Amino acid sequence: MAISLGRPHGPGAPVNAPIGTSSTYRAGGDIVYGREDSPSWSAFEEVVGALEGGRALAFSSGMAAIAAVLGRLPASAVVVAPGGAYTGTRTLLTEWHELGRVAEVRLVDAADTEATVAACEGATLVWLESPTNPMLAVADIPAIAAAPHPLGLSVAVDNTFATPIYQRPLDLGADVVVHSATKFLGGHSDLLMGVAVTRDDGWYDGLVQARTYGGAIPGALEAFLALRGLRTLDVRLERASETATELAARLLLHPAVEVVRYPGFGAMVSFDVAGGAEAAERVCGAVRLIVSATSLGGVETSIERRSKYAGEERTPPGLLRMSVGLEHIDDLWADLD
Ligand SMILES: *Cc1c(COP(=O)(O)O)cnc(C)c1O
């Protein structure tokens, strides 16, 4: 699907969807104006929609997709979310609560299914992120989605870390899935984009409204690059996950490493080095092959001490979040060791 879909058809058609840079269209057709729709996004949306099993809408960033979903909630909404969710998501929820745009935010440990289900009593939306960034905590999405819930409770999942290769939340009972396509879907650290996917017509129409009038639309070049990245998602993750599994095993035996967090799949490994913040910063300063930088999901391995950021006080000071790329394992280990 990732390879065959999203291509123009018919004799003489280009094999790849072109980068369309028109802001407007001749009157009388289906497409009118570039903030409402664009042939540049639809190829990307066709592929992501097929991978996640729903209808996809592209946004200008992961946060734009997240804000679009949360922005559809009424001011009376009660939102259940993991305390360990991506800082941007937690900050947005906290701020919207302070502004009166969300009535209540209940932060839970989403790895604790019972506590999460209990917190859903009277809630409007349960937001899940699994595995979480950067603690790699895994939520039992099917169990949480299948529990008897208040009428009208929606389940949204940030699937950025697992990607549809390892987890399809809509199949597991979620109503909406979001991604920071900046990360694994794009896969080359050369764009920012987001995407939301749903099977529910109500959610879909609401998200179209959110994008059209919120205006958080992706650029044509970004959509082209993201689709180009998607073509190799499967092979990139196969390689990165194999390397990450081996690195996690080696780190576990390393005398300078205290804790290794790895969910058993995917390309993200978080580990705590002995000596706390200072020792962890030394690792970031010493690596040569591995890139010391924020973000993740690229072909290049990158590493970062998360707790240096405001809002990341919950993260252990010596925790290094590593996004494993496609370099040779021997080269990576030589650098890391
Ligand atoms: C990076 C990230 C986001 C935000 O995405 P942007 O594309 O940076 O806006 C959201 N969720 C998770 C899990 C992320 O890692």
Side-chain angles (χ1 to χ4, degrees), residues 60-66 85-89 127 129-134 158-161 178-184 191-195 268 294-296 306 321:
S60 54
S61 69
M63 281 312 302
I66 291 166
Y86 176 66
T87 319
T89 308
W127 184 272
E129 179 183 308
S130 185
T132 54
N133 178 0
D158 183 334
N159 202 29
T160 299
F161 272 32
V178 299
H179 279 274
S180 168
T182 311
K183 316 293 170 55
F184 292 103
L191 65 96
L192 279 108
M193 244 177 89
V195 63
M268 300 304 299
T294 197
S295 201
L296 55 105
R306 284 305 285 173
R321 185 191 69 190

Side-chain angles (χ1 to χ4, degrees), residues 28-255:
D30 290 338
I31 299 187
V32 176
Y33 184 54
R35 180 160 37 71
E36 295 164 2
D37 198 358
S38 162
S40 301
W41 313 331
S42 37
F44 169 81
E45 289 171 341
E46 185 182 340
V47 174
V48 179
L51 290 176
E52 288 286 8
R55 284 199 285 166
L57 286 164
F59 286 85
S60 54
S61 69
M63 281 312 302
I66 291 166
V69 172
L70 296 176
R72 296 315 294 170
L73 300 176
S76 60
V78 173
V79 178
V80 177
Y86 176 66
T87 319
T89 308
R90 275 185 314 130
T91 305
L92 187 73
L93 277 171
T94 308
E95 183 159 295
W96 282 10
H97 173 57
E98 283 164 7
L99 292 170
R101 295 180 63 179
V102 170
E104 188 185 342
V105 180
R106 297 176 184 163
L107 296 181
V108 294
D109 171 6
D112 184 339
T113 304
E114 219 173 298
T116 305
V117 170
C120 289
E121 184 62 44
T124 319
L125 176 89
V126 55
W127 184 272
L128 298 173
E129 179 183 308
S130 185
T132 54
N133 178 0
M135 297 292 277
L136 298 171
V138 174
D140 188 343
I141 299 171
I144 294 169
H149 285 309
L151 209 62
L153 176 86
S154 292
V155 180
V157 177
D158 183 334
N159 202 29
T160 299
F161 272 32
T163 82
I165 302 297
Y166 294 107
Q167 174 171 276
R168 289 178 23 123
L170 299 180
D171 286 348
L172 305 177
D175 300 290
V176 189
V177 177
V178 299
H179 279 274
S180 168
T182 311
K183 316 293 170 55
F184 292 103
L185 302 190
H188 294 74
S189 308
D190 55 5
L191 65 96
L192 279 108
M193 244 177 89
V195 63
V197 193
T198 183
R199 289 174 188 167
D200 183 281
D201 291 342
W203 268 109
Y204 184 83
D205 293 344
L207 291 169
V208 169
Q209 291 290 103
R211 183 175 70 180
T212 302
Y213 301 109
I217 56 164
L221 177 63
E222 281 78 1
F224 176 89
L225 288 172
L227 177 55
R228 185 184 164 118
L230 265 182
R231 300 293 188 204
T232 55
L233 178 67
D234 185 40
V235 281
R236 281 188 285 111
L237 275 170
E238 190 180 319
R239 166 68 174 264
S241 182
E242 190 185 309
T243 307
T245 306
E246 176 61 23
L247 288 178
R250 292 189 194 180
L251 285 167
L252 205 53
L253 299 173
H254 198 286

